[in-house]
Amino acid sequence: MSSLESAKNKLDALLEKQSELYLEIRENYALDDDCEDAASVENAIDGGEIDLEWNDLRDISYVDASVRCQKALVDALELLKKGDKKSVHNANKELEILVGEARKIRKSGDDDLRKAQEIISAMNEIIDVCDAHRQK
């Protein structure tokens, strides 16, 4: 399978994941009457009609960033596939921009992961102390 085909398959999978996330939000926030599908949930969120919890906003942000970057990758690979000098030049510029964006998003994810690990460690310490001092 070529890199372009692989990127397109990954994009399809990410779009499906994105749709599932919006449908999950629809269920969690009981939006059945207001929003019939993932697109209407997304539009309601974008329009400010729905206030989401932080973790839902974070999840949407990450999946949207993944979809946006994957689309950019597919577009750049399609330009490369054309093979003419101008297309290759433009694809290289797009790939360079995409690398920077992907590194920025990865760093943000790494920071979130580090913070989550710190919280988990702190909660484990609290649980351990509580378990040691609880009367059983």
Side-chain angles (χ1 to χ4, degrees):
M1 180 183 312
S2 73
S3 294
L4 178 57
E5 290 170 340
S6 178
K8 285 181 178 180
N9 289 340
K10 178 69 174 179
L11 178 57
D12 290 342
L14 286 170
L15 289 169
E16 180 65 28
K17 183 177 180 180
Q18 184 181 45
S19 179
E20 289 170 4
L21 176 61
Y22 284 116
L23 292 176
E24 182 179 316
I25 287 170
R26 176 181 173 242
E27 294 296 318
N28 292 343
Y29 288 80
L31 304 172
D32 298 338
D33 297 335
D34 301 330
C35 303
E36 63 238 18
D37 58 14
S40 60
V41 174
E42 182 179 11
N43 290 336
I45 292 167
D46 290 344
E49 299 167 35
I50 302 170
D51 290 324
L52 298 177
E53 294 179 16
W54 172 83
N55 58 324
D56 291 323
L57 288 170
R58 178 205 58 212
D59 293 348
I60 288 172
S61 177
Y62 280 127
V63 77
D64 286 351
S66 296
V67 166
R68 187 180 66 252
C69 287
Q70 195 67 33
K71 282 181 179 177
L73 177 61
V74 168
D75 292 345
L77 291 174
E78 286 178 339
L79 276 176
L80 275 177
K81 187 177 178 182
K82 288 182 180 180
D84 64 273
K85 190 174 182 177
K86 183 178 179 181
S87 294
V88 170
H89 173 75
N90 289 338
N92 283 330
K93 285 186 353 186
E94 291 298 319
L95 291 170
E96 192 64 34
I97 292 167
L98 183 55
V99 165
E101 181 70 13
R103 286 184 175 144
K104 179 179 161 187
I105 293 167
R106 181 183 66 189
K107 183 183 180 322
S108 175
D110 286 344
D111 290 345
D112 287 349
L113 194 60
R114 181 187 46 75
K115 291 172 190 172
Q117 287 292 23
E118 289 172 4
I119 291 168
I120 290 168
S121 293
M123 294 305 110
N124 282 338
E125 289 175 17
I126 290 169
I127 290 167
D128 290 345
V129 170
C130 289
D131 284 345
H133 290 85
R134 279 190 306 179
Q135 294 180 2
K136 297 179 183 184

